[in-house]
């Protein structure tokens, strides 16, 4: 099955407007000759319009890092799917572990957001992943499947093919610790099996499952060479054009 690998940068709470324009200009140049990898960036809300404008006419996609599940209303400080499509983004990261751990997002809320995103033609990047304690307790696959089943509640098979799953072990995020390719592959294979049960084999084969957690140019190739790892959701290393482009290039080389 050939899934086009997807390398996405989650900028988190980084980059001003001018830094956004500079980074994206450099990135466009750095990956201009790579056509076997899909590249995407998720700047902060304040920089989305500038990112869409800077990337117009090119192939790099722009997305948001979060979204409210309602279309509008009295929700101070929140951003709706209508606002995201209006600004021109095409995907949204949902259920990131930082949202779950720091802002109390639970599985059911994430599921409602996934359904709202799909209803607005925004591609959800649904994040899942276990903590260190959960891994040590042997509950990794149970935790990930609970997060995914709740996150995908109500989603129909014909909507599912477009979505993206990001497996990000919490203990590997921002720590410099990376799951070994074998550890990651094992969880990715279990995710694909769950998707097959839920949506059927052919839909499961078309869904891209990204790995996230301290992905760098130096470790990307061995991760991307695994059969069920279809790209990466990159935090820290996406803040610099050379390192992010290095991951894109390593991914292109792993697939060729
Ligand atoms: P790092 O690449 O900084 O570990 O972050 C991963 C992540 O959380 C991407 O969403």
């Amino acid at each position: 099955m050939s899934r086009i690998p997807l390398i996405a940068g989650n900028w988190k709470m980084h980059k001003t407007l001018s830094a956004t324009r500079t980074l994206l200009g450099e990135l466009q140049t750095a990956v201009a000759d790579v056509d076997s990898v899909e590249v995407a960036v998720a700047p902060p809300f304040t920089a989305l319009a500038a990112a869409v404008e800077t990337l117009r006419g090119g192939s790099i996609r722009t997305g948001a890092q979060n979204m409210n599940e309602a279309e509008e209303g009295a929700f101070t400080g929140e951003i709706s799917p209508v606002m995201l499509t209006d600004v021109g983004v095409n995907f949204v990261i949902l259920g990131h572990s930082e949202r779950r751990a720091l802002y109390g997002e639970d599985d059911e809320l994430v599921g409602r957001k996934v359904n709202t995103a799909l209803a607005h033609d925004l591609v959800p990047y649904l994040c899942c992943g276990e903590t260190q304690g959960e891994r040590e307790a042997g509950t990794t696959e149970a935790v990930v499947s609970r997060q995914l089943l709740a996150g995908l509640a109500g989603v129909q098979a014909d909507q599912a093919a477009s979505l993206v799953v990001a497996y990000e072990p919490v203990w590997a995020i921002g720590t410099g610790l990376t799951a070994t390719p074998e550890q990651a592959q094992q969880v990715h294979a279990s995710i694909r099996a769950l998707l097959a049960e839920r949506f059927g084999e052919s839909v499961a084969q078309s869904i891209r499952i990204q790995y996230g957690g301290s992905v760098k140019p130096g470790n990307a190739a061995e991760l991307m060479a695994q059969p069920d790892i279809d790209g990466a959701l990159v935090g820290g290393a996406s803040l610099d054009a050379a390192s992010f482009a290095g991951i894109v290039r390593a991914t292109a080389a792993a697939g060729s």
Side-chain angles (χ1 to χ4, degrees), residues 16 28 85 93 98 115 119 158 164 166 168 174 190 193 215 226 228:
T16 59
Q28 280 181 307
T85 52
I93 298 170
E98 288 153 14
N115 279 276
D158 61 346
V164 172
E168 301 201 299
S190 77
V215 177
Q226 298 297 317
D228 288 295

Side-chain angles (χ1 to χ4, degrees), residues 24-109:
L24 291 178
E26 292 170 356
L27 185 62
Q28 280 181 307
T29 307
V31 301
D33 59 333
V34 181
D35 56 11
S36 58
V37 177
E38 194 176 313
V39 181
V41 292
F45 288 129
T46 48
L48 288 178
V52 168
E53 184 58 37
T54 306
L55 297 172
R56 198 179 300 285
S59 60
I60 300 176
R61 294 171 195 278
T62 309
Q65 301 170 18
N66 183 30
M67 181 195 81
N68 192 279
E69 76 271 31
E71 293 189 355
E72 62 178 5
F75 303 111
T76 301
E78 291 291 285
I79 298 289
S80 82
V82 176
M83 295 167 183
L84 294 183
T85 52
D86 183 48
V87 84
V89 312
N90 48 37
F91 72 92
V92 58
I93 298 170
L94 295 173
H96 190 280
S97 64
E98 288 153 14
R99 300 289 326 163
R100 294 177 190 262
L102 303 174
Y103 302 101
E105 296 201 6
D106 62 19
D107 292 337
E108 287 66 37
L109 174 64

Side-chain angles (χ1 to χ4, degrees), residues 98-190:
E98 288 153 14
R99 300 289 326 163
R100 294 177 190 262
L102 303 174
Y103 302 101
E105 296 201 6
D106 62 19
D107 292 337
E108 287 66 37
L109 174 64
V110 174
R112 291 198 298 279
K113 291 186 178 192
V114 167
N115 279 276
T116 302
L118 289 167
H120 287 268
D121 287 331
L122 289 161
V123 175
Y125 287 20
L126 171 58
C127 300
C128 59
E130 82 287 2
T131 63
Q132 179 81 51
E134 289 163 340
R135 175 161 283 266
E136 283 164 7
T139 55
T140 296
E141 288 177 21
V143 167
V144 166
S145 60
R146 188 204 73 222
Q147 291 171 331
L148 289 182
L149 287 175
L152 297 168
V155 174
Q156 305 301 315
D158 61 346
Q159 302 174 294
S162 72
L163 64 82
V164 172
V165 172
Y167 168 59
E168 301 201 299
V170 178
W171 49 270
I173 295 178
T175 58
L177 297 172
T178 319
T180 64
E182 294 73 25
Q183 281 175 322
Q185 167 58 28
Q186 190 180 349
V187 181
H188 281 234
S190 77

